[in-house]
Amino acid sequence: MMYALYLSAYHERKFWFSNRQELEREITFQGDSAIYYSYYKDMLKAPSFERGVYELTHNNKTVSLKTINAVQQMSLYPELIASVLYQATGSNEIIEPVYFYIGIVFGLQGIYVTALFVTSWLMSGTWLAGMLTVAWFIINRVDTTRIEYSIPLRENWALPYFACQVAALTGYLKSNLNTYAERFCYLLMSASTYTFVMMWEYSHYLLFLQAVSLFLLDVFSLEQSDKVHEVYKIYIFSLFLGYLLQFENPALLVSPLLSLVTALMLTKCLQLNMKKGTFIAKIMKVINFYLVCALTVTLNVLMKMFVPHKENGHMLKFLEVKFGLNMTKNFTMNWLLCQESLQTPSQDFFLRLTQSSLLPFYILVLTICLLSMVQVIFRRINGKSVKESITLEDGRIGERPEVIYHIIHTVLLGSLAMVIEGLKYIWTPYMCMLAAFGVCSPELWMTLFKWLRLRTVHPILLALILSMAVPTIIGLSLWKEFFPRLMTELTELQEFYDPDTVELMTWIKRQAPLAAVFAGSPQLMGAIKLCTGWMVTSLPVYNDDDLLKRNENIYQIYSKRSAEDIYKILTSYKANYLIVEDAICNEVGTMRGCRVKDLLDVANGHVVCEEGDKLTHSKYGRFCHEVKINYSPYVNYFTRVYWNRSYFVYKINTVISFQS
């Protein structure tokens, strides 16, 4: 509750939200966030919920010459739920729609940190670990969440449910759990898994990593096999129910998660009951491992052959280029590679985590748990018996099934986050949880002392003391260094000031015809759709090949193409107005070769690299510069109707005059 209130207060201070007009508030939603919130507004304007859903599923008022199922394509279930709650609870008489919407998201973030708190508490047995988890999460907020920058993002709606699922899974995997607690964890896990699948289009990829972690846990931990296979059933149920309620979304059928779980269930049926620890049983375990891998790949290939799908085809092409398996001049691929969230993590990321002491303790806990887990695996390979219940004196933290699962999961997430920086928002919260659990767990310190063969002090007593002293010292140091900074953030009154965009939106509302179609950068088109409701030619949506192609074509206004070429492109999408952004036209990029105009020049063959030198050749000047000069042939095709310091609006002539 406190964290949700903190986010609300910080958001108010950052944007001065309560003192702004509705248009200025809406401009704070940038890029794809603007699109999500615009559909929430559309639902509230609809005469009934059924009519609103129909208009979204047969939407032809957003993108010109295109009818889209916005609910399926953009995962708009959060907006549907928020609109229903807003009207059903009578909140329209109490609170403005925007405050209700962001309030739900902030409330979910409170559930997010609560789930992390509970997970750490379950693993360590002390609430102190939960407090330390939340402290690290808030202090490293820049790297744990994107809630500050883009409130309506799908991950901000979905990840709290995933955190609840992980908390329930942690409790479910614990040994010696009573029947009622096990049943509660199972039901919570089922509900949160299904909700997570519905909230985020990429959820099945994250669940695939979790399924891989559970599969490896099943390989290493024989006692938890039945529980793990119950989780597989939850995956299958969630995927098929999601498939039906997401308008038969083919992406869920061809997902690697479904192929893996199906392979695991099939191999489970083929397994024979053999005495554990025998040589034949070990050989069968290896054969079973390879059989699962082979079946997963085979099933996935077969599903993609027989199930028509176009989902995320560009993602595979991106990964090929990202890992150096292919090279391309394609604008879209190179533009994606230049996005900060798809780069490898910067040194600043690791420096911030080190300054907050999170990274050093995470590495310490991960190393001890990983080595203990490997030790347990080798002990089982050698046929040594395993205790049914582990005591503190045993010093075997790597033998607990929930610890094995979390270690494998965090290693997989961390490996991906080392390649794609955007995945740090999934990995870093679990760094906080794992590090806090470790330093607060007497078992971890006892495991370390067992290896060191400590004899001068009683190891159990020292482990208990350190499990309380270390987190207390960490907490006090974090309080002293970072608490004043958090309070300063809440007292400083910041201001989001963008008068040029406000003037542009005001002009469109007052002067543009209702049937007008606007063309420009996808990010700006998202804002126009939200603030004015006018139709646009493209959207900041990157999961549809047609929209990606549209974005590339519209971006040609910043290339070295002729006025006639640009005119043909724009009229092919029935555009009436063109908006040129000075920030893109005169962009000074921080990354070499990542400016939009540079990427366009490469894609169009206007830049040739010879012996390290870049040679530019094109008989036309850059369109966004030339059109501002108002000379033929540009004035024949385009008439400037509005401009300010940041934007130039041109009417696309329907009757072309070739007067000089």
Side-chain angles (χ1 to χ4, degrees):
M1 189 72 135
M2 290 298 296
Y3 179 60
L5 293 173
Y6 166 77
L7 285 177
S8 180
Y10 179 75
H11 181 262
E12 170 64 28
R13 289 290 178 175
K14 183 177 181 179
F15 293 109
W16 211 0
F17 215 62
S18 59
N19 294 310
R20 294 190 172 277
Q21 299 297 320
E22 183 181 6
L23 178 60
E24 293 176 312
R25 291 176 183 173
E26 291 176 349
I27 287 173
T28 62
F29 296 106
Q30 300 289 319
D32 51 350
S33 296
I35 295 298
Y36 297 132
Y37 185 73
S38 72
Y39 287 125
Y40 168 69
K41 281 180 60 180
D42 290 345
M43 282 298 298
L44 295 181
K45 292 176 183 176
S48 67
F49 177 76
E50 293 79 7
R51 184 63 190 174
V53 172
Y54 179 82
E55 289 179 355
L56 290 187
T57 54
H58 302 79
N59 188 281
N60 58 2
K61 298 179 181 179
T62 299
V63 183
S64 60
L65 302 179
K66 188 175 177 68
T67 300
I68 59 175
N69 184 341
V71 177
Q72 179 190 13
Q73 190 160 343
M74 301 177 195
S75 300
L76 295 181
Y77 295 95
E79 282 66 34
L80 298 182
I81 295 169
S83 63
V84 168
L85 290 175
Y86 183 71
Q87 293 174 330
T89 58
S91 300
N92 51 347
E93 300 175 0
I94 305 170
I95 188 172
E96 294 179 57
V98 65
Y99 281 109
F100 186 82
Y101 184 86
I102 64 176
I104 292 177
V105 183
F106 290 155
L108 285 173
Q109 298 307 301
I111 294 174
Y112 192 0
V113 295
T114 302
L116 293 173
F117 178 98
V118 171
T119 306
S120 190
W121 190 350
L122 283 171
M123 293 181 68
S124 64
T126 172
W127 59 268
L128 201 58
M131 293 297 291
L132 189 55
T133 300
V134 176
W136 265 327
F137 182 94
I138 296 174
I139 289 166
N140 294 284
R141 197 174 65 252
V142 175
D143 301 305
T144 56
T145 177
R146 286 196 283 189
I147 190 71
E148 290 182 24
Y149 315 107
S150 302
I151 293 174
L153 282 181
R154 301 301 83 177
E155 65 194 57
N156 292 334
W157 287 89
L159 289 179
Y161 294 103
F162 182 65
C164 290
Q165 191 254 21
V166 170
L169 178 60
T170 303
Y172 186 67
L173 292 175
K174 287 177 72 72
S175 303
N176 303 322
L177 197 67
N178 67 62
T179 306
Y180 293 107
E182 186 175 306
R183 190 174 299 169
F184 173 77
C185 288
Y186 184 82
L187 291 174
L188 177 59
M189 187 166 39
S190 302
S192 52
T193 301
Y194 168 68
T195 309
F196 180 55
V197 169
M198 295 297 293
M199 289 291 175
W200 197 20
E201 60 185 307
Y202 299 120
S203 58
H204 55 89
Y205 292 111
L206 193 51
L207 290 175
F208 171 71
L209 289 181
Q210 188 182 70
V212 171
S213 305
L214 290 172
F215 167 52
L216 295 176
L217 168 64
D218 189 18
V219 172
F220 300 144
S221 179
L222 302 175
E223 288 73 21
Q224 297 295 322
S225 182
D226 292 336
K227 283 188 176 182
V228 168
H229 279 80
E230 287 298 318
V231 180
Y232 296 156
K233 293 176 185 177
I234 293 175
Y235 291 149
I236 292 178
F237 171 78
S238 299
L239 284 174
F240 277 108
L241 193 58
Y243 169 76
L244 294 175
L245 295 181
Q246 288 184 2
F247 307 92
E248 298 182 357
N249 184 3
L252 296 180
L253 292 184
V254 299
S255 68
L257 173 63
L258 183 59
S259 301
L260 173 62
V261 173
T262 306
L264 288 165
M265 299 296 280
L266 288 173
T267 52
K268 174 72 172 177
C269 297
L270 297 173
Q271 282 180 358
L272 302 174
N273 291 322
M274 279 180 280
K275 190 177 178 181
K276 299 174 183 178
T278 63
F279 178 75
I280 296 176
K282 293 174 185 176
I283 294 296
M284 289 302 296
K285 201 79 171 174
V286 175
I287 293 173
N288 178 66
F289 180 85
Y290 283 107
L291 183 60
V292 168
C293 296
L295 265 177
T296 301
V297 175
T298 305
L299 288 171
N300 196 247
V301 171
L302 289 174
M303 291 296 285
K304 288 182 177 178
M305 285 174 59
F306 293 105
V307 177
H309 72 286
K310 296 185 293 184
E311 301 294 323
N312 303 322
H314 60 283
M315 185 182 293
L316 295 176
K317 297 175 185 176
F318 165 77
L319 292 174
E320 286 179 5
V321 179
K322 176 73 176 178
F323 292 112
L325 302 175
N326 198 356
M327 293 190 67
T328 182
K329 291 184 178 180
N330 180 269
F331 169 80
T332 301
M333 288 299 105
N334 288 325
W335 184 82
L336 289 172
L337 284 169
C338 285
Q339 299 305 297
E340 185 179 350
S341 61
L342 298 176
Q343 300 287 318
T344 53
S346 63
Q347 291 183 351
D348 291 340
F349 167 62
F350 298 104
L351 183 60
R352 287 192 298 269
L353 296 187
T354 304
Q355 287 174 339
S356 65
S357 74
L358 173 59
L359 187 60
F361 283 107
Y362 170 77
I363 293 173
L364 172 67
V365 172
L366 180 64
T367 303
I368 294 173
C369 291
L370 198 58
L371 290 175
S372 179
M373 188 180 80
V374 172
Q375 189 180 43
V376 170
I377 292 169
F378 276 108
R379 188 180 291 115
R380 291 186 176 181
I381 291 173
N382 293 329
K384 293 184 179 179
S385 60
V386 180
K387 286 187 176 182
E388 289 186 6
S389 59
I390 306 163
T391 62
L392 176 59
E393 193 174 358
D394 294 327
R396 296 181 186 175
I397 195 169
E399 200 163 298
R400 289 167 52 185
E402 70 273 21
V403 173
I404 296 174
Y405 157 71
H406 278 289
I407 292 300
I408 298 171
H409 198 192
T410 192
V411 168
L412 291 176
L413 286 174
S415 302
L416 291 174
M418 292 301 100
V419 180
I420 300 175
E421 185 174 8
L423 294 175
K424 71 180 182 182
Y425 298 108
I426 302 173
W427 180 48
T428 313
Y430 294 98
M431 288 179 68
C432 300
M433 183 272 297
L434 196 70
F437 139 72
V439 296
C440 295
S441 174
E443 287 179 293
L444 180 122
W445 298 110
M446 192 63 201
T447 303
L448 180 61
F449 296 153
K450 276 281 187 179
W451 294 339
L452 298 176
R453 297 183 180 179
L454 188 67
R455 298 185 187 279
T456 53
V457 183
H458 198 286
I460 295 180
L461 179 61
L462 186 58
L464 290 169
I465 292 172
L466 286 178
S467 65
M468 296 179 65
V470 172
T472 303
I473 294 169
I474 295 171
L476 290 173
S477 63
L478 293 177
W479 178 279
K480 182 179 179 181
E481 184 174 355
F482 292 99
F483 184 74
R485 298 185 192 179
L486 295 175
M487 291 299 100
T488 302
E489 288 178 352
L490 293 180
T491 54
E492 284 184 353
L493 190 62
Q494 305 177 45
E495 188 172 3
F496 180 82
Y497 187 63
D498 191 0
D500 292 343
T501 304
V502 172
E503 290 173 8
L504 173 66
M505 300 303 167
T506 304
W507 181 86
I508 292 173
K509 281 184 169 183
R510 291 176 179 175
Q511 302 295 329
L514 289 175
V517 178
F518 284 83
S521 70
Q523 288 73 22
L524 180 60
M525 294 303 100
I528 288 176
K529 170 66 179 73
L530 168 59
C531 298
T532 69
W534 264 248
M535 195 176 289
V536 294
T537 55
S538 58
L539 290 175
V541 177
Y542 309 109
N543 61 354
D544 181 86
D545 290 337
D546 180 60
L547 287 175
L548 285 172
K549 187 63 180 176
R550 279 176 175 248
N551 293 346
E552 181 179 351
N553 289 337
I554 300 300
Y555 265 131
Q556 296 296 327
I557 62 178
Y558 300 104
S559 69
K560 296 181 178 181
R561 300 277 294 272
S562 67
E564 184 180 1
D565 287 347
I566 301 299
Y567 180 82
K568 288 179 178 177
I569 290 171
L570 296 175
T571 52
S572 69
Y573 295 119
K574 301 298 181 182
N576 305 116
Y577 290 89
L578 165 66
I579 304 177
V580 175
E581 295 173 65
D582 210 44
I584 299 178
C585 192
N586 299 315
E587 183 180 3
V588 181
T590 53
M591 290 183 61
R592 185 179 178 184
C594 275
R595 298 180 300 180
V596 168
K597 52 189 178 183
D598 295 336
L599 297 173
L600 288 166
D601 289 345
V602 171
N604 295 335
H606 296 156
V607 172
V608 180
C609 298
E610 293 182 1
E611 298 179 359
D613 297 326
K614 286 190 174 181
L615 307 178
T616 306
H617 65 89
S618 175
K619 62 180 181 180
Y620 303 106
R622 196 168 300 283
F623 175 83
C624 63
H625 288 150
E626 301 297 320
V627 73
K628 295 177 185 176
I629 303 175
N630 284 336
Y631 69 88
S632 184
Y634 296 92
V635 293
N636 303 328
Y637 296 101
F638 307 97
T639 302
R640 187 164 66 190
V641 292
Y642 173 80
W643 70 94
N644 59 31
R645 290 175 300 177
S646 302
Y647 304 102
F648 294 79
V649 182
Y650 296 88
K651 190 176 188 302
I652 300 170
N653 298 331
T654 52
V655 179
I656 303 172
S657 171
F658 286 96
Q659 298 176 357
S660 58

